[in-house]
Amino acid sequence: MITFEGAAKIYPDGTVAVAGLDLTVETGRTTVFVGPSGSGKTTSLRMINRMVEPTHGTIRIDGADIRDQDPALLRRSIGYVIQQAGLFPHRTILDNIATVPLLLGWNRRKARARAAELMELVGLEASQAKRYPHQLSGGQQQRVGVARALAADPPVLLMDEPFSAVDPVVRAGLQEELLRLQQELHKTIVFVTHDIDEAVRLGDRIAVFRPGGELAQYDAPEHLLARPVDDFVESFVGYDRGVRRLSFFPARQLSLRQDVVFDTEDRVERARDVVEGDGEPWVLVVDENRTPLGWVDAAQLIDKPAGLTLGTLEMAPYGHTFDVATDSLRAALDAAVLSPAGRAVGVDDEGAVLGVVSQEDLGAAIWSVSE
Ligand SMILES: Nc1ncnc2c1ncn2[C@@H]1O[C@H](COP(=O)(O)OP(=O)(O)OP(=O)(O)O)[C@@H](O)[C@H]1O
Ligand SMILES: [Mg+2]
């Protein structure tokens, strides 16, 4: 547990970088500091490993005042990852990762073995061990940065905008990896970002900073999105916070209709009975493995002769699907919006159709989680 008790940083020129922060970072969880430029995120982060000394207040790690600890030793016990990785350009990838273990006095063989193990953990190829940083992509360099920070297995990991210099696709991949690593390692992570989406994705708790180095709100992501404390936080979390919040609710709660799902051998009159029964304007056609093939517009069924099979009709593309077991309501809503039929198709982990969510049911589910 890391506690900030009235911790402040006021520079000699009068700049208030951090104005009296009171905050507890929980052990084994990911806490994200988010806020506009200049709001004191980096300063707060660096106060934890004494790269910045507070001018007021106290910071403790598991109860111990960090002022009583040797700064160099403290820093070796805390992993630190920054934007563009900050790797040593003239050291190989393996030696970059082995830096802290070597500083801690491990023998070279043990340090390199540990570095090789970490390369695998963060998803780097063993063949890259002997390369130099400039021979890797930006995303790979960030992985090296993470591996290096984890090398001595520190309980605490500080990450200052580690993924902001890579493109959105690579960034999403790195976020995914960090979530996976954290599930395995349970580090106490403090992660700084400008990006509220990244914060919501990674954080167990989110601290929103406002200009002037003040803490505006400290909350679980779903609470932050549901109940921003004031106009500043509300505008910072964005106008689409309602949709974003749906990612915290499982799609599993949706009811799935099977009666509008047909296979290619089913006859038009069967489908017609269903759509005429309750006015559903579309039916979904699947193959023998229940893989979706496409939507048939109900209007097409009206004048077709009985006996014709659905596989012979024109179909609109089925669009996107959602995984009923693992996806969120947000993914289901997205699938509906992206479907030509305006309806979401729920599938199992093999892509077989489990059912279709009607707009009424999707609307009702969204309503039931809104306040
Ligand atoms: N050495 C310094 N002397 C005076 N002011 C400083 C110094 N270092 C930082 N500051 C000021 O402290 C404030 C907070 O800076 P900090 O780097 O913590 O912000 P940040 O939230 O990390 O911003 P960004 O999102 O741009 O990285 C800023 O106004 C900055 O100009
Ligand atoms: Mg910063």
Side-chain angles (χ1 to χ4, degrees), residues 36-43 83 160-161 192 194:
S37 191
S39 58
K41 306 180 295 294
T42 295
T43 307
Q83 200 177 335
D160 195 351
E161 308 211 34
V192 168
H194 277 97

Side-chain angles (χ1 to χ4, degrees), residues 5 28 31 46 48 79 87 97 99 110 114 126 145 147 156 159 167 186 196 245 249 269 295 315-316 339 363 365:
E5 299 164 13
T31 297
R46 289 172 154 220
I48 297 171
L87 304 177
I97 298 172
T99 303
K110 188 176 161 208
R114 170 71 178 154
V156 176
M159 307 182 83
D167 70 63
H186 304 289
I196 185 70
R245 203 172 145 264
F249 300 94
E269 60 272 27
W295 295 100
M315 292 177 213
S339 156

